[in-house]
Amino acid sequence: MRVLSGMRPTGRLHLGHYHGVLVNWLKLQTEYECFFFAADWHALTTDYADPKGIKENVREMVLDWLSVGIDPKRTIIFRQSQIKEHAELHVLLSMITPLSWLERNPTYKEQLGELREKDLHTFGFLGYPVLQTADIIIYKAQKVPVGVDQAPHLELSREITRRFNHFYGQVFPEPQTILTETPKVLGTDGRKMSKSYNNAIFLSDPPQEAEKKMLAMMTDTARKRRTDAGNPGLCPFYQTYHALYSDAKTVAWVKEGCAAAGIGCTDCKKAVIPKVLALLEPIRKKRSELEADPAIVEAILKDGARCAFEAANKTMREVRAAMGLE
Ligand code: TRP
Ligand code: SF4
């Protein structure tokens, strides 16, 4: 069973990535043959006007993967743009993909509306799911772990795969989505944790910095004074940190203390912050070990690219033959 997933390189990763994606990847790599890659061409679909940061973002992201324990000895870690066969398959799939399928893609329509500061009326952006399909099926991956926001793309991938097989014979297995649970990880301002909101706690933040951010994080806004009662159900700090890190006893203590104004928000936060710091500590330590060798990321990506190429090239021979190109 082969598992594949990719991430667009956005630079250093934060707790939202950890709980939403990396925890799943860590588990999967112990059970399956995994391919995890940096989707740098996908980053270009939105950042084509200013691509300078992409290479550094790949490096930072891969450093974080390695720091949390994604293991290059058992998992193939690579960079999309180093495997040119993805682009070849993208061209071939583009021949058979109806425009209407791409135009009705809900993620496409949503992003056109949201990212208004960028002109996304490009061929590349419309074809985003075609490239994503090539990424997946070129390795004949059967399982693709993604968050719910990516589910429409995966549905399209299955449709494109079926259409290919219909025209040219049964070359590809239909990829199945593994919908990964994405726990609610909120940033310091109470919105979803995101680098672009400037509200994130990064895996590489020094402990003092992470602690400072958590102590400054928004709580139940109705609780203005220490003597006001609060409601953990309306508190972003509680919903993120106590929900993810605290044991039942601490949770009970918080619920009671908050509702009765028996504890202050600082006491409440200090009861869980050490748990978060304990998670981050070994990650940071591993990262500084890795950073001591500036060539290590390149070396791991090169190794991964060798294995990925072998698999992709094998598939492309079948594809070219099936389409009468070879
Ligand atoms: N579109 C995915 C994201 O933004 C990244 C991605 C690219 C991907 N190719 C993929 C994910 C193939 C899974 C499989 O998160
Ligand atoms: Fe949130 Fe805790 Fe303050 Fe209640 S006491 S508002 S749960 S931080």
Side-chain angles (χ1 to χ4, degrees):
M1 187 70 86
R2 198 173 265 177
V3 168
L4 171 136
S5 198
M7 221 190 258
R8 293 158 51 107
T10 51
R12 293 192 296 153
L13 303 182
H14 53 63
L15 283 173
H17 297 111
Y18 181 79
H19 293 288
V21 183
L22 296 172
V23 166
N24 287 295
W25 286 14
L26 288 168
K27 182 158 177 286
L28 287 164
Q29 75 169 355
T30 66
E31 297 166 354
Y32 303 106
E33 180 188 23
C34 290
F35 287 66
F36 296 135
F37 72 97
D40 53 350
W41 279 337
H42 276 110
L44 272 180
T45 62
T46 51
D47 298 347
Y48 61 85
D50 185 18
K52 285 186 299 295
I54 294 179
K55 187 151 190 258
E56 186 54 23
N57 284 349
V58 169
R59 187 186 140 73
E60 293 288 349
M61 181 175 77
V62 172
L63 269 172
D64 281 327
W65 292 357
L66 300 168
S67 304
V68 302
I70 300 297
D71 179 0
K73 284 201 200 67
R74 60 164 89 214
T75 289
I76 296 172
I77 300 171
F78 68 100
R79 182 171 163 198
Q80 183 186 37
S81 65
Q82 289 182 329
I83 311 295
K84 312 300 180 201
E85 285 68 19
H86 290 223
E88 183 184 357
L89 186 54
H90 172 255
V91 159
L92 298 176
L93 296 178
S94 77
M95 305 302 165
I96 65 166
T97 305
L99 270 182
S100 59
W101 291 7
L102 300 173
E103 284 162 348
R104 68 164 194 239
N105 167 15
T107 315
Y108 174 69
K109 291 194 282 192
E110 218 174 274
Q111 296 232 39
L112 276 189
E114 268 171 29
L115 301 175
R116 288 209 171 268
E117 70 285 8
K118 293 175 184 165
D119 182 1
L120 298 179
H121 291 92
T122 61
F123 181 50
F125 189 65
L126 182 66
Y128 187 111
V130 183
L131 180 57
Q132 182 157 344
T133 305
D135 297 337
I136 298 166
I137 66 179
I138 203 164
Y139 300 104
K140 301 195 178 185
Q142 292 105 319
K143 301 264 183 203
V144 184
V146 287
V148 68
D149 60 310
Q150 291 289 314
H153 283 154
L154 265 288
E155 200 44 58
L156 255 171
S157 291
R158 265 195 298 283
E159 285 177 292
I160 296 171
T161 306
R162 277 199 289 274
R163 194 165 159 89
F164 184 100
N165 288 343
H166 167 74
F167 283 132
Y168 311 114
Q170 195 65 39
V171 175
F172 296 112
E174 256 180 56
Q176 305 299 314
T177 310
I178 309 181
L179 256 201
T180 52
E181 243 189 273
T182 34
K184 199 161 171 174
V185 179
L186 301 173
T188 47
D189 59 359
R191 292 188 289 173
K192 184 178 170 193
M193 190 177 285
S194 161
K195 186 173 185 166
S196 52
Y197 292 158
N198 213 352
N199 66 2
I201 295 183
F202 293 96
L203 300 178
S204 48
D205 275 345
Q208 308 86 314
E209 174 128 8
E211 175 161 32
K212 206 168 110 201
K213 288 180 183 173
M214 287 186 274
L215 285 171
M217 181 165 172
M218 196 177 134
T219 59
D220 176 0
T221 45
R223 194 172 187 208
K224 292 199 176 58
R225 280 172 295 262
R226 167 70 176 76
T227 48
D228 294 336
N231 179 354
L234 299 174
C235 172
F237 183 88
Y238 176 89
Q239 287 171 355
T240 298
Y241 295 104
H242 285 294
L244 282 168
Y245 293 85
S246 286
D247 53 30
K249 205 172 131 217
T250 310
V251 164
W253 173 79
V254 170
K255 281 189 176 159
E256 216 179 283
C258 181
I263 58 170
C265 288
T266 305
D267 308 324
C268 175
K269 289 177 169 180
K270 284 189 167 160
V272 66
I273 285 173
K275 292 230 166 118
V276 185
L277 298 182
L279 173 89
L280 293 175
E281 187 47 31
I283 300 175
R284 243 172 31 79
K285 191 155 162 276
K286 182 80 193 284
R287 199 183 217 271
S288 56
E289 283 165 28
L290 291 161
E291 279 170 340
D293 178 355
I296 196 152
V297 171
E298 277 305 316
I300 286 168
L301 289 175
K302 194 170 161 210
D303 224 46
R306 207 159 9 84
C307 300
F309 170 76
E310 206 175 293
N313 190 41
K314 184 160 172 269
T315 306
M316 284 316 294
R317 287 202 182 136
E318 288 175 50
V319 169
R320 292 176 206 125
M323 293 182 79
L325 296 166
E326 220 162 54

